[in-house]
Coordinates of all heavy atoms in Angstrom, one line a residue:
Chain B
E153 N -26.0 -8.3 23.2 CA -24.8 -9.1 23.2 C -24.3 -9.6 21.8 O -23.2 -9.7 21.5 CB -24.9 -10.3 24.1 CG -23.6 -11.0 24.5 CD -23.8 -12.0 25.6 OE1 -24.9 -12.5 25.8 OE2 -22.9 -12.2 26.4
N154 N -25.3 -9.9 20.9 CA -24.9 -10.5 19.6 C -24.2 -9.5 18.7 O -23.4 -9.9 17.9 CB -26.1 -11.1 18.9 CG -27.2 -10.0 18.6 OD1 -27.2 -9.0 19.3 ND2 -28.0 -10.3 17.6
T155 N -24.4 -8.2 18.9 CA -23.7 -7.2 18.1 C -22.8 -6.3 18.9 O -22.1 -5.4 18.3 CB -24.7 -6.4 17.3 OG1 -25.6 -5.8 18.2 CG2 -25.5 -7.2 16.3
L156 N -22.9 -6.4 20.2 CA -22.1 -5.5 21.1 C -22.6 -4.1 21.0 O -21.9 -3.2 21.3 CB -20.6 -5.6 20.9 CG -20.0 -7.0 21.0 CD1 -18.5 -6.9 20.8 CD2 -20.3 -7.7 22.3
M157 N -23.9 -3.9 20.6 CA -24.4 -2.6 20.4 C -25.2 -2.1 21.6 O -25.9 -2.9 22.3 CB -25.3 -2.6 19.2 CG -25.9 -1.2 18.9 SD -27.2 -1.3 17.6 CE -27.7 0.5 17.5
F158 N -25.1 -0.8 21.9 CA -26.0 -0.2 22.9 C -27.0 0.7 22.2 O -26.6 1.4 21.3 CB -25.1 0.7 23.8 CG -24.2 -0.1 24.8 CD1 -23.0 -0.6 24.3 CD2 -24.6 -0.4 26.0 CE1 -22.2 -1.3 25.1 CE2 -23.8 -1.1 26.9 CZ -22.6 -1.6 26.4
E159 N -28.2 0.6 22.6 CA -29.2 1.6 22.0 C -30.3 1.9 23.0 O -30.6 1.1 23.9 CB -29.8 1.0 20.7 CG -30.4 -0.3 20.8 CD -31.8 -0.3 21.4 OE1 -32.6 0.6 21.2 OE2 -32.1 -1.3 22.1
S160 N -30.9 3.1 22.8 CA -32.0 3.5 23.7 C -32.6 4.8 23.1 O -32.0 5.4 22.2 CB -31.5 3.9 25.1 OG -30.6 5.0 25.0
K161 N -33.8 5.1 23.5 CA -34.4 6.3 22.9 C -33.6 7.5 23.4 O -33.5 8.5 22.7 CB -35.9 6.4 23.2 CG -36.3 6.4 24.7 CD -37.8 6.6 24.8 CE -38.3 6.9 26.2 NZ -37.9 6.0 27.3
E162 N -33.1 7.5 24.6 CA -32.2 8.6 25.1 C -31.0 8.7 24.2 O -30.5 9.8 23.9 CB -31.8 8.4 26.6 CG -32.9 8.5 27.6 CD -33.8 7.3 27.7 OE1 -33.5 6.3 27.0 OE2 -34.8 7.3 28.4
G163 N -30.4 7.6 23.8 CA -29.3 7.6 22.9 C -29.7 8.4 21.6 O -28.9 9.1 21.1
I164 N -30.8 8.1 21.1 CA -31.3 8.8 19.9 C -31.3 10.3 20.1 O -30.9 11.0 19.2 CB -32.7 8.3 19.5 CG1 -32.8 6.7 19.4 CG2 -33.2 9.0 18.3 CD1 -32.2 6.2 18.1
E165 N -31.7 10.7 21.3 CA -31.8 12.1 21.6 C -30.3 12.7 21.5 O -30.1 13.8 21.0 CB -32.3 12.4 23.0 CG -33.8 12.1 23.1 CD -34.6 12.9 22.1 OE1 -34.4 14.1 22.0 OE2 -35.4 12.2 21.4
L166 N -29.4 12.0 21.9 CA -28.0 12.4 21.9 C -27.5 12.6 20.4 O -26.7 13.5 20.1 CB -27.1 11.5 22.7 CG -26.6 12.1 24.0 CD1 -26.3 11.0 25.0 CD2 -25.3 12.9 23.7
I167 N -28.0 11.7 19.6 CA -27.6 11.8 18.2 C -28.2 13.1 17.6 O -27.5 13.9 17.0 CB -28.1 10.6 17.4 CG1 -27.6 9.3 17.9 CG2 -27.7 10.8 15.9 CD1 -28.2 8.1 17.2
K168 N -29.4 13.3 17.9 CA -30.1 14.6 17.4 C -29.4 15.8 17.9 O -29.3 16.8 17.2 CB -31.6 14.6 17.9 CG -32.5 13.7 17.2 CD -33.9 13.9 17.7 CE -34.8 12.8 17.1 NZ -36.1 12.7 17.9
E169 N -28.9 15.7 19.1 CA -28.2 16.9 19.7 C -26.9 17.2 19.1 O -26.4 18.3 19.3 CB -28.0 16.5 21.2 CG -28.1 17.7 22.2 CD -28.1 17.1 23.6 OE1 -27.0 16.8 24.1 OE2 -29.2 16.8 24.1
N170 N -26.3 16.2 18.4 CA -25.0 16.4 17.8 C -24.9 16.1 16.3 O -24.5 15.0 15.9 CB -23.9 15.5 18.6 CG -23.8 15.9 20.0 OD1 -23.0 16.9 20.3 ND2 -24.5 15.2 20.9

Side-chain angles (χ1 to χ4, degrees):
Chain B
E153 196 168 27
N154 61 337
T155 54
L156 304 184
M157 179 188 181
F158 290 82
E159 58 75 35
S160 64
K161 62 179 194 299
E162 289 80 4
I164 305 282
E165 290 306 310
L166 251 152
I167 303 175
K168 285 186 191 162
E169 215 169 82
N170 294 280

